[in-house]
Amino acid sequence: MSEMSKIEIRALRKRFGSNEVLKNINLDVAKGGVVALIGPSGSGKSTLLRCINLLVAPDGGSVRVGDTRFAFGDGSKLPDVRTLARFRATTGMVFQHFNLFPHMTTLQNVMEGPVTVRRMAKADAEKLARAQLAKVGLAEKADQYPATLSGGQKQRVAIARALAMEPDVMLFDEATSALDPELVGEVLNVIQQLASEGMTMVIVTHEIAFAREVADRLIFMRDGVVVEEGPARQVIDNPQEAATRAFLSHFHRTGALPPANATP
Amino acid sequence: MYQWDFGILWSYRWLFLNGLGVTVGFTVVIVVLGLVFGLFGAFGSLSRFKTVRLTALTFIEAFRCTPILVQLIWFYYALPILAGVEMTPITASALALSLYGGSFYSEIIRGGIISIDRGQSEAGAALGMTPGQSMRRIVLPQAIKRMIPALMNQSIIQFKNTSLVSVLAVPDLVYQSQVAAHDSYRPLETYTAVAVAYAAILIPLTILARRGEKRLAVSE
């Protein structure tokens, strides 16, 4: 598996002060694989996700995405800002609170990465950005500012912005948690479409039914450790650990996905 | 009842105009220099390195927490003895006023930068921007909008603070009006006219600033 894997995390550790949030985490994501990370808040799943693109610097262990590997702890120096930036350019991230740039139009938001980071010519970047906006169904919102969009639309722009960097890997950090329930579906649809196109993805989510549908592997974390891991359907339908069972009992695990966008 | 006679000031018009020119020119210099010091102070106080941070904070607090009049006198009389450099009154007062203003500009700029949600620079970093790129492209354009009203305000205060340079015999508007008042025995008319001159320049500026503020608020 590790021969083939796109993402490989080994013995990852992270503490914030006296709080050990990640304790010896191992994780492999195959090329084209979709892994869902679930668990109660404070379980360390968001921190783990942020360690994959090194938005959070781990204290120990190693992180590999594609051919780039970083080791941490025991005297190994933290990578410098340029190395980090180059590495992050190959991974896309979508945040819970969208984090769109409010001083730029939707189109400019999506063009920003290609123009500033990839030094793409403006005309090419615009073509690429318009294509990505069309892909998430928002071509006609190109010249609007984020403040005028709904939450679901904002998150789709954020996905387009990440995709415009043409990343190898997409990371989703509770991408639907800040949305009104009726807007969740339109975002999940976009993520599902990406999965079907073979994008390698790690998804932190509370949408258990969605995880069951879209993810091929599921990881349940609690208190900084992986409690249970396996094929998504198997873990959700038939959890082996008591902690997993207790957590999943709070959710509807099956059934239809939230309704697709009743496009306004 | 006092008999006002503003007509008497007409013969001093060139003196006043000269002083006004010095005051305005001086303000431009100390606002520009002050902003430069302010930028250094702000980025210094946000630095990753502790020594840089402490140096910047020491500078900011030293100038923020002592009176400008004392600084002016100290820069002219004390610094030359300590540092062994002669300074003209103009250099000494430009330096003191710029550093004094810079300490306040620092706090305004620093406040503007840290008021921007961390998620913004995180989103920049996630796209692969270096910290410098995300500061230039993402954080500063948003922060500057928030800083502008406070920067305008501080610059207005800077304009009025130039009146203090008259204690070092820099020939600004206040200094020249002292000359006129002594010469004409008409201090009431003289200082009233000076007050009106300051207000006549600042009131349109404050109106412009307020308008600009409103326009920025709309585009948020």
Side-chain angles (χ1 to χ4, degrees):
Chain A
M1 170 128 187
S2 70
E3 221 29 57
M4 301 282 297
S5 66
K6 188 83 191 168
I7 301 175
E8 180 192 87
I9 306 275
R10 289 290 173 268
L12 200 72
R13 292 175 187 286
K14 178 68 190 177
R15 58 165 68 238
F16 292 118
S18 64
N19 182 19
E20 200 172 6
V21 279
L22 295 177
K23 307 164 186 166
N24 191 23
I25 302 282
N26 296 291
L27 168 71
D28 288 279
V29 184
K31 189 168 167 25
V34 178
V35 169
L37 276 175
I38 64 168
S41 53
S43 59
K45 54 194 194 306
S46 275
T47 305
L48 172 56
L49 193 76
R50 281 156 177 266
C51 282
I52 297 177
N53 69 351
L54 302 182
L55 268 189
V56 169
D59 297 329
S62 69
V63 173
R64 178 177 67 74
V65 176
D67 300 323
T68 317
R69 183 174 175 280
F70 296 99
F72 298 90
D74 292 338
S76 50
K77 266 185 26 183
L78 286 180
D80 66 284
V81 291
R82 284 181 190 284
T83 312
L84 273 180
R86 226 174 303 126
F87 172 66
R88 290 192 191 116
T90 63
T91 61
M93 182 170 241
V94 176
F95 299 87
Q96 180 176 2
H97 296 289
F98 328 127
N99 301 356
L100 290 178
F101 307 133
H103 57 303
M104 300 180 186
T105 64
T106 297
L107 183 69
Q108 289 165 337
N109 263 276
V110 183
M111 285 170 64
E112 185 57 32
V115 170
T116 301
V117 178
R118 295 172 68 191
R119 307 263 170 226
M120 198 183 266
K122 280 238 162 86
D124 298 335
E126 182 176 336
K127 213 177 292 171
L128 170 66
R130 286 194 189 279
Q132 295 299 348
L133 280 174
K135 183 172 175 157
V136 298
L138 290 172
E140 79 283 9
K141 302 283 186 192
D143 297 320
Q144 294 195 15
Y145 282 87
T148 65
L149 304 179
S150 73
Q153 290 169 337
K154 282 181 193 165
Q155 196 60 298
R156 283 147 67 198
V157 173
I159 294 172
R161 179 177 68 179
L163 289 175
M165 290 299 290
E166 300 179 317
D168 303 333
V169 166
M170 284 285 282
L171 309 172
F172 290 87
D173 190 5
E174 303 201 23
T176 59
S177 299
L179 296 178
D180 291 337
E182 76 273 19
L183 302 176
V184 169
E186 65 188 63
V187 173
L188 294 184
N189 274 353
V190 173
I191 302 176
Q192 191 165 29
Q193 186 195 337
L194 281 177
S196 69
E197 289 167 8
M199 177 66 83
T200 309
M201 299 197 281
V202 181
I203 303 171
V204 171
T205 187
H206 289 293
E207 301 286 337
I208 303 297
F210 174 73
R212 185 180 179 279
E213 208 62 40
V214 175
D216 34 52
R217 291 187 72 73
L218 186 114
I219 290 172
F220 173 67
M221 286 181 69
R222 205 181 67 168
D223 300 331
V225 296
V226 172
V227 174
E228 186 164 353
E229 177 181 2
R233 280 178 192 239
Q234 188 185 304
V235 175
I236 290 169
D237 296 343
N238 191 15
Q240 299 301 304
E241 301 289 329
T244 319
R245 271 199 295 278
F247 178 74
L248 287 173
S249 70
H250 300 298
F251 297 92
H252 296 289
R253 290 176 237 180
T254 55
L257 288 181
N261 45 327
T263 317
Chain B
M1 187 64 193
Y2 185 77
Q3 288 292 313
W4 293 92
D5 180 11
F6 282 101
I8 197 116
L9 299 177
W10 184 245
S11 54
Y12 299 101
R13 60 191 180 281
W14 296 115
L15 202 60
F16 285 126
L17 273 178
N18 247 322
L20 192 64
V22 170
T23 291
V24 170
F26 213 79
T27 304
V28 171
V29 169
I30 63 167
V31 164
V32 171
L33 272 181
L35 283 170
V36 172
F37 287 135
L39 275 175
F40 277 106
F43 283 104
S45 63
L46 292 170
S47 167
R48 278 181 294 156
F49 305 105
K50 199 170 177 189
T51 42
V52 178
R53 256 192 339 260
L54 284 178
T55 311
L57 286 173
T58 309
F59 150 73
I60 293 169
E61 295 311 335
F63 284 93
R64 231 162 43 124
C65 302
T66 50
I68 178 61
L69 190 54
V70 174
Q71 288 172 26
L72 279 168
I73 296 168
W74 194 87
F75 264 75
Y76 185 58
Y77 294 105
L79 193 61
I81 296 170
L82 295 177
V85 279
E86 262 330 291
M87 272 194 287
T88 64
I90 291 194
T91 315
S93 38
L95 204 57
L97 276 168
S98 303
L99 287 165
Y100 176 78
S103 68
F104 285 92
Y105 287 136
S106 285
E107 285 298 281
I108 294 167
I109 295 169
R110 189 181 70 90
I113 290 172
I114 60 175
S115 78
I116 302 300
D117 178 32
R118 243 177 76 91
Q120 290 289 309
S121 46
E122 278 187 349
L127 284 176
M129 289 185 189
T130 60
Q133 284 173 330
S134 118
M135 181 58 74
R136 274 196 307 281
R137 300 286 309 165
I138 310 300
V139 177
L140 275 184
Q142 299 180 58
I144 285 170
K145 264 193 188 179
R146 295 188 189 178
M147 295 172 200
I148 281 175
L151 290 177
M152 285 294 291
N153 208 20
Q154 187 59 41
S155 301
I156 284 170
I157 294 171
Q158 287 283 81
F159 179 69
K160 294 190 291 181
N161 279 345
T162 58
S163 60
L164 294 168
V165 302
S166 57
V167 299
L168 300 185
V170 175
D172 77 321
L173 182 57
V174 170
Y175 181 84
Q176 301 290 33
S177 63
Q178 280 168 356
V179 173
H182 289 153
D183 190 57
S184 65
Y185 301 107
R186 286 283 181 175
L188 266 70
E189 282 84 349
T190 310
Y191 291 120
T192 306
V194 167
V196 170
Y198 276 102
I201 292 177
L202 282 183
I203 288 171
L205 279 180
T206 55
I207 290 172
L208 265 179
R210 205 162 299 163
R211 240 187 242 164
E213 211 176 313
K214 258 187 211 145
R215 194 165 325 136
L216 288 173
V218 169
S219 68
E220 272 281 297

